[in-house]
Amino acid sequence: DAKTTQPPSMDCAEGRAANLPCNHSTISGNEYVYWYRQIHSQGPQYIIHGLKNNETNEMASLIITEDRKSSTLILPHATLRDTAVYYCIVRVARNNDMRFGAGTRLTVKP
Amino acid sequence: NAGVTQTPKFQVLKTGQSMTLQCAQDMNHNSMYWYRQDPGMGLRLIYYSASEGTTDKGEVPNGYNVSRLNKREFSLRLESAAPSQTSVYFCASSTPGGGTETQYFGPGTRLLVL
């Protein structure tokens, strides 16, 4: 199973872009990269996912390198409400198992 | 549309007691999941149910049993609670998608075993 590596914590100024990196060097060709976040003690919230191409939705953008060994989640204009733990997950394709690591704790500061 | 609901929100048990955590979803999703989250750690999958009538073990199934009662409901039972099962339990549901489904999570049940 592919594993992910994320920095334990990051800070970002309010209104600036937050760029959260993730390494997944052993990802398989048919595995997707997912991003979730968990605000305080709430249930995780889906943000975005992708396979090869860059993806954008109303919450964020996902940039996946050409070799698919790493990706970056971009929150274009971070707000204080974006303070959360962000999880990068590579989905195990053979079942429904989503392996959450420790994630990156993003703190958006005024 | 309530999404994923969990009961109770908080529970205190003594070692050896049993209890059932309830989860229900109103999104007509086929798949449902139970996770646990220990302090400062990510979520770990306990059991999941890909469809009504089927259940499978996840990463940490020992000490738990599950029942997929119908398409809407998926319960998690602790037969003999242990302090090591003190955790926050999250239920989730998703639609099938061959690798692209999104999981939707409930608000969690906080369990303390003394």
Side-chain angles (χ1 to χ4, degrees):
Chain A
D1 297 343
K3 294 182 179 180
T4 62
T5 304
Q6 299 177 252
S9 64
M10 293 181 63
D11 290 341
C12 177
E14 188 179 17
R16 304 296 294 268
N19 298 300
L20 291 88
C22 179
N23 287 321
H24 32 78
S25 58
T26 60
I27 190 171
S28 299
N30 61 349
E31 291 180 313
Y32 289 74
V33 179
Y34 281 79
W35 284 84
Y36 281 76
R37 72 181 182 183
Q38 188 173 25
I39 297 173
H40 194 45
S41 301
Q42 301 174 19
Q45 176 190 24
Y46 166 81
I47 302 173
I48 198 168
H49 74 277
L51 183 62
K52 295 180 181 179
N53 300 321
N54 298 338
E55 302 287 344
T56 296
N57 63 21
E58 65 277 5
M59 290 182 67
S61 295
L62 174 61
I63 309 298
I64 302 175
T65 58
E66 191 170 345
D67 62 8
R68 300 206 333 121
K69 293 184 177 181
S70 65
S71 61
T72 300
L73 178 74
I74 301 172
L75 306 178
H77 305 288
T79 70
L80 299 178
R81 287 177 293 181
D82 292 321
T83 291
V85 178
Y86 287 77
Y87 297 100
C88 170
I89 300 161
V90 171
R91 185 182 178 276
V92 178
R94 65 180 180 273
N95 61 30
N96 291 311
D97 197 348
M98 300 258 294
R99 298 293 176 102
F100 288 75
T104 296
R105 180 172 297 280
L106 174 69
T107 302
V108 181
K109 298 184 175 181
Chain B
N1 204 350
V4 179
T5 56
Q6 294 183 235
T7 56
K9 287 185 172 56
F10 183 72
Q11 184 72 47
V12 179
L13 292 178
K14 294 181 180 178
T15 297
Q17 287 185 318
S18 62
M19 80 162 294
T20 299
L21 282 66
Q22 306 287 353
C23 174
Q25 53 91 9
D26 62 1
M27 296 175 283
N28 202 35
H29 287 169
N30 288 334
S31 301
M32 298 185 73
Y33 314 80
W34 276 106
Y35 292 86
R36 62 176 287 175
Q37 184 174 32
D38 299 329
M41 299 182 65
L43 281 73
R44 291 184 293 170
L45 184 67
I46 305 171
Y47 270 94
Y48 68 95
S49 170
S51 62
E52 186 177 351
T54 68
T55 61
D56 285 285
K57 295 179 180 179
E59 186 182 358
V60 289
N62 292 343
Y64 305 95
N65 287 303
V66 291
S67 295
R68 184 71 183 270
L69 305 170
N70 48 55
K71 191 172 185 178
R72 290 187 63 251
E73 298 172 292
F74 189 37
S75 63
L76 178 72
R77 182 160 178 84
L78 287 71
E79 291 291 350
S80 179
S84 61
Q85 294 178 304
T86 292
S87 190
V88 181
Y89 291 85
F90 290 101
C91 178
S93 70
S94 71
T95 55
T100 63
E101 67 267 17
T102 298
Q103 293 191 12
Y104 296 86
F105 287 81
T109 293
R110 284 149 183 78
L111 176 65
L112 174 62
V113 182
L114 301 174

